[in-house]
Amino acid sequence: QVQLVESGGGLVQAGGSLRLSCAASVRTFSSYVMGWFRQAPGKEREFVAAISWSGARTDYADSVKGRCTISRDNAKNTVYLQMNSLKPEDTAVYYCAVRPGGALGNLSYQYNYWGQGTQVTVSS
């Protein structure tokens, strides 16, 4: 059974930074692609970033490119999302997810397991 627990969300002013963490209780964590998605009130869940099992390949949504960095520590079974220059439109619940296989994915259905989410609120 896979469990994902996100942390690090909170309230921050526009222009500030947050670092989200996602701890995974899954065997062979290093075999999986990991992704971050977000969902704002009244909107569909959208892709934020993904990282390959080794960390060598990453992908970002255009809306966060240049402001966010995804990374992972396979020894700690943890994936991170460093978010800088935050904007009010970044306000959402952020979810981490596990994708079997080696290809990066930017669609929700490509991910099998999801965490419960962590709230990020950016004030103007």
Side-chain angles (χ1 to χ4, degrees), residues 3-81:
Q3 287 189 321
L4 303 172
V5 179
E6 301 96 335
S7 61
L11 174 63
V12 63
Q13 289 189 334
S17 298
L18 282 174
R19 188 195 196 201
L20 306 184
S21 299
C22 173
S25 61
V26 56
R27 294 180 65 182
T28 63
F29 172 80
S30 60
S31 300
Y32 296 102
V33 167
M34 298 296 297
W36 285 98
F37 288 74
R38 67 186 182 186
Q39 188 166 18
K43 295 187 177 182
E44 294 187 353
R45 189 171 297 187
E46 64 174 3
F47 170 74
V48 177
I51 187 167
S52 63
W53 66 270
S54 68
R57 292 177 290 124
T58 57
D59 187 24
Y60 296 93
D62 288 343
S63 59
V64 304
K65 201 170 291 184
R67 300 188 298 118
C68 290
T69 302
I70 188 171
S71 61
R72 66 191 295 164
D73 185 338
N74 288 340
K76 296 182 178 179
N77 279 21
T78 301
V79 63
Y80 306 97
L81 185 68

Side-chain angles (χ1 to χ4, degrees), residues 4 33-40 43-50 59 61 93-100 103-115:
L4 303 172
V33 167
M34 298 296 297
W36 285 98
F37 288 74
R38 67 186 182 186
Q39 188 166 18
K43 295 187 177 182
E44 294 187 353
R45 189 171 297 187
E46 64 174 3
F47 170 74
V48 177
D59 187 24
V93 177
Y94 284 71
Y95 300 89
C96 71
V98 173
R99 168 171 164 73
L104 299 181
N106 60 5
L107 300 172
S108 297
Y109 74 84
Q110 296 172 316
Y111 291 78
N112 287 17
Y113 300 99
W114 295 80

Side-chain angles (χ1 to χ4, degrees), residues 14 38 40 43 46 63-64 67 85-92 94 120 122-124:
R38 67 186 182 186
K43 295 187 177 182
E46 64 174 3
S63 59
V64 304
R67 300 188 298 118
S85 302
L86 283 163
K87 305 174 182 180
E89 50 263 44
D90 294 318
T91 295
Y94 284 71
V120 171
V122 184
S123 63
S124 57

